[in-house]
Amino acid sequence: MSGTAAIRVEGLVKAYGGPYGIRALDGVDLEVRRGEIFGLLGPNGAGKTTTVGVCTTRVRPTAGRVTVEGVDVVRAPTGVKRLIGVATQFNTLDRACTVAENLYYHCRFFGYGAAAARQRTTELLDRFRLGDRATTMPMQLSGGMAQRVQIARAVAHRPRVLFLDEPSAGLDPQSRLALWETIGGLRDQGITVLLTTHHMEEADRLSDRVAIIDHGRVLEIGTPAELKQRVGAGTVIEVRAERAGPELVEALRVVPDVYEVREMPGGVRLLAGSRDGLMPRVVEAAQGYGLRDLSVTEPTLETVFITLTGRDLRD
Amino acid sequence: MTDAALPGSAGPGLYLRAFVGLLARDLRVLQRNLLPFITRTVMNPLLFVFIFTYVFPHIGQSIQGGPSGMSYATILVPGLVAVGMVFQGIGAVALPLAMELGATREIEDRVLAPLPVELVAIEKLVFGAAQGVLAGAAVFPLVYFIPSTPVQVHVASWPLLITVILLASLTSGALGLALGTIVRPPQIGLMFAVVVVPITFLGCVYYPWALLHPIPWLQAAVLVNPLVYMSEALRASLTPELPHMPVWASLTALTAATAGLGAIGVHGFLRRTIS
């Protein structure tokens, strides 16, 4: 039995294009506990969508094993499909059917009779505040609204595990906030959620635990607070200067409390353990290099990512 | 939690319910698009019959009929019914599937339905076949009543006709499934030029296969075309007085074509949905 694990991923490898091809996943290990919202955070191309693809039976793994609620995704894909709901960043709503029909036929696919499916559709339209869009065709919906319909559809058959793959990609900030509210609301339903995102605030706000993934490998797993602490990402300071270069890097490296300095376009980025008295010392050290701008970021999941990889999530 | 969410109880009963759900969805979409469905089904045979069997005789043009004094209109009946069915395979299965598998990824929700993905593909084939039967039924009155020259149709064996119609519609559904998984949306125009037009013109629609014997290479070459067997089998059951292939040969070929195209289609569907 799976104990308390809703999703267990062991040594997952996915290679495309033969032995010399790309390794989209290079040995991923994860365990998502029942009832938690688990965030998979990483830049585009890190392997998030491929991981979700394997968990949801649409991508066949090259090696490794994945179980959802104890059911093996390779050996029993149909069994897994009954346990999961999936919403992706792409609008995959059935364009030939109305919003209500999208929900209704989804329920029918999952074995609901006509009456039960109608009742469940009404319930969902109500709960997701879609009542006035029941007869709208998907192409006429805004991005945020379409995403809400997709999530309603994904939970329609009461899955145990919900996969949300980049749910807020391409949404405007207001729709993103509304979506976060919707996802937060799922927490009370006791459903397990695996959320992938390259949006660090999204991962921070919604997730109970986060795995940071890059180049097909998991770098760290923990609660957002644990990660910020464990990785030791204190403060990130970006210094922009006219004469940024190796000399500036050297000058800043010797500032007390600064433990890492990296060049970036037009300046340097430094990681420091503590903020106390740091600013004046940094300013002093950078003075002779045409200091133009200084920005300080509190520890966030993004700074954790920068600490782990030396790169920005957007890079 | 409903029992639909209990693990380990996936089985034939649930597959059937999911399959019925897929059919119900397609039926709803067909119902909404009834007018386009009818238009696309009847337009080609309507104009064909109108020009060649109504206008031509009136303006003194004529196309020679078949042996034993059969009118050209009679030759056209089985052929046009067969073309009507094949167009359904393309219009009802291949075109929507090419879109759903391509840019829109709409198929995703059905691929994630709790039944083997192969059955999602087979549902497409079955629904296409059902539309093929409807199309055959819609075309028949046109080709029977419009011609100004006499049409001689007689059904010698109803069981044979029903078998032929079922097999032919399954073949067109399988052809649609195979084409829909092979053709990418930007290639749809090309598909009409490379596949649809040659299939219809070289499908023994406008002439019985036996009459091709003065051109032996063509008579042999058209045998790769499944529409030939649909036309010939329908000829055997609707206009048995006209020359036609032996029934056993056309039925065997249709069965093989359904199996072969169906296998290509299911395989292609898996390839396009599971990576």
Side-chain angles (χ1 to χ4, degrees):
Chain A
M1 278 315 289
S2 54
T4 54
I7 307 169
R8 181 169 287 158
V9 177
E10 293 163 321
L12 186 61
V13 173
K14 176 64 182 179
Y16 288 102
Y20 305 106
I22 307 156
R23 285 202 150 203
L25 297 179
D26 198 10
V28 170
D29 294 284
L30 281 180
E31 196 176 292
V32 178
R33 297 171 196 151
R34 278 202 186 128
E36 75 177 341
I37 298 186
F38 188 93
L40 207 51
L41 178 69
N44 290 325
K48 305 186 298 290
T49 298
T50 309
T51 305
V52 169
V54 175
C55 293
T56 57
T57 75
R58 292 164 307 157
V59 176
R60 288 200 193 94
T62 308
R65 185 163 183 265
V66 175
T67 57
V68 175
E69 291 283 335
V71 184
D72 190 298
V73 298
V74 174
R75 273 192 243 148
T78 308
V80 169
K81 287 195 279 185
R82 300 186 54 227
L83 298 168
I84 62 171
V86 184
T88 68
Q89 57 184 311
F90 305 104
N91 178 349
T92 64
L93 294 172
D94 191 340
R95 284 155 175 70
C97 290
T98 64
V99 166
E101 285 166 355
N102 264 279
L103 302 174
Y104 171 81
Y105 288 110
H106 180 91
C107 292
R108 296 291 306 269
F109 301 162
F110 280 83
Y112 283 61
R118 260 195 302 276
Q119 197 196 336
R120 180 71 178 142
T121 302
T122 312
E123 248 172 68
L124 289 164
L125 289 172
D126 193 42
R127 194 176 119 205
F128 286 85
R129 289 174 284 122
L130 292 163
D132 54 339
R133 303 300 167 107
T135 55
T136 306
M137 300 306 274
M139 290 305 280
Q140 286 152 346
L141 296 173
S142 68
M145 195 65 86
Q147 201 50 274
R148 205 191 299 168
V149 179
Q150 293 215 95
I151 294 177
R153 184 179 68 175
V155 299
H157 57 288
R158 304 180 201 276
R160 293 194 182 176
V161 182
L162 177 65
F163 292 89
L164 300 174
D165 189 12
E166 299 272 0
S168 71
L171 295 190
D172 59 81
Q174 203 184 340
S175 307
R176 176 173 281 146
L177 283 176
L179 184 79
W180 287 353
E181 210 176 293
T182 306
I183 297 170
L186 297 171
R187 194 191 295 272
D188 315 324
Q189 320 271 318
I191 189 170
T192 306
V193 179
L194 177 65
L195 166 82
T196 80
T197 180
H198 65 275
H199 195 284
M200 61 90 192
E201 196 190 342
E202 184 163 281
D204 207 344
R205 272 180 68 154
L206 295 173
S207 313
D208 298 312
R209 288 193 309 141
V210 173
I212 293 184
I213 181 168
D214 192 30
H215 296 305
R217 285 168 183 273
V218 173
L219 303 177
E220 284 288 339
I221 300 183
T223 65
E226 275 169 7
L227 288 180
K228 289 172 202 166
Q229 211 176 20
R230 191 190 314 158
V231 174
T235 305
V236 177
I237 302 173
E238 290 185 357
V239 179
R240 295 186 184 277
E242 274 158 29
R243 291 180 296 282
E247 285 170 41
L248 176 62
V249 170
E250 282 316 307
L252 288 168
R253 206 185 287 286
V254 295
V255 173
D257 277 340
V258 169
Y259 61 86
E260 198 166 330
V261 184
R262 290 198 181 115
E263 273 197 75
M264 59 170 207
V268 294
R269 177 186 285 149
L270 45 107
L271 304 173
S274 154
R275 283 186 66 181
D276 297 339
L278 189 62
M279 276 325 118
R281 293 199 292 270
V282 170
V283 172
E284 202 188 333
Q287 206 96 63
Y289 297 88
L291 177 64
R292 267 194 284 157
D293 184 40
L294 200 85
S295 68
V296 184
T297 315
E298 284 298 309
T300 63
L301 287 179
E302 186 146 26
T303 59
V304 171
F305 185 82
I306 292 165
T307 312
L308 288 170
T309 66
R311 289 182 297 121
D312 214 280
L313 273 167
R314 289 177 299 268
D315 282 353
Chain B
M1 223 167 253
T2 67
D3 51 342
L6 291 177
S9 52
L14 280 155
Y15 295 173
L16 183 68
R17 293 174 77 135
F19 196 84
V20 169
L22 294 170
L23 285 173
R25 180 262 168 203
D26 282 351
L27 195 63
R28 174 73 186 103
V29 174
L30 174 63
Q31 190 192 351
R32 177 170 289 134
N33 298 318
L34 205 54
L35 206 60
F37 166 76
I38 291 170
T39 311
R40 136 188 122 204
T41 306
V42 304
M43 200 49 99
N44 176 59
L46 179 70
L47 288 173
F48 213 93
V49 177
F50 179 67
I51 297 297
F52 288 97
T53 68
Y54 183 87
V55 174
F56 268 35
H58 279 84
I59 63 175
Q61 291 277 3
S62 69
I63 295 177
Q64 214 185 325
S68 61
M70 285 279 200
S71 70
Y72 184 56
T74 304
I75 292 176
L76 280 182
V77 170
L80 288 180
V81 170
V83 169
M85 297 174 99
V86 160
F87 275 18
Q88 283 319 303
I90 288 155
V93 185
L95 297 184
L97 197 57
M99 297 307 291
E100 288 171 346
L101 287 171
T104 68
R105 304 176 196 228
E106 279 167 90
I107 203 76
E108 198 123 297
D109 194 48
R110 278 162 272 167
V111 169
L112 288 167
L115 74 173
V117 180
E118 289 86 346
L119 288 178
V120 180
I122 287 170
E123 186 274 337
K124 282 276 161 207
L125 190 164
V126 168
F127 195 76
Q131 273 178 268
V133 173
L134 289 178
V139 169
F140 187 79
L142 298 179
V143 294
Y144 191 79
F145 290 112
I146 292 177
S148 62
T149 47
V151 176
Q152 293 154 293
V153 168
H154 97 264
V155 178
S157 156
W158 280 98
L160 174 65
L161 179 65
I162 291 166
T163 309
V164 167
I165 286 188
L166 286 181
L167 250 182
S169 56
L170 285 172
T171 308
S172 58
L175 175 68
L177 181 65
L179 285 175
T181 58
I182 292 167
V183 175
R184 305 288 198 267
Q187 305 163 333
I188 285 174
L190 193 63
M191 175 186 82
F192 273 91
V194 176
V195 181
V196 181
V197 174
I199 276 187
T200 41
F201 278 91
L202 302 172
C204 297
V205 171
Y206 315 113
Y207 41 83
W209 181 72
L211 297 194
L212 283 179
H213 90 105
I215 319 169
W217 62 268
L218 185 62
Q219 196 176 26
V222 298
L223 289 176
V224 298
N225 183 353
L227 182 54
V228 168
Y229 306 102
M230 294 168 66
S231 306
E232 288 291 310
L234 282 165
R235 222 158 252 141
S237 41
L238 289 172
T239 58
E241 287 77 13
L242 283 175
H244 55 79
M245 267 181 203
V247 173
W248 66 263
S250 48
L251 291 188
T252 307
L254 283 177
T255 309
T258 303
L261 290 167
I264 292 171
V266 170
H267 181 78
F269 191 86
L270 286 175
R271 188 171 43 78
R272 293 290 298 278
T273 53
I274 313 277
S275 58

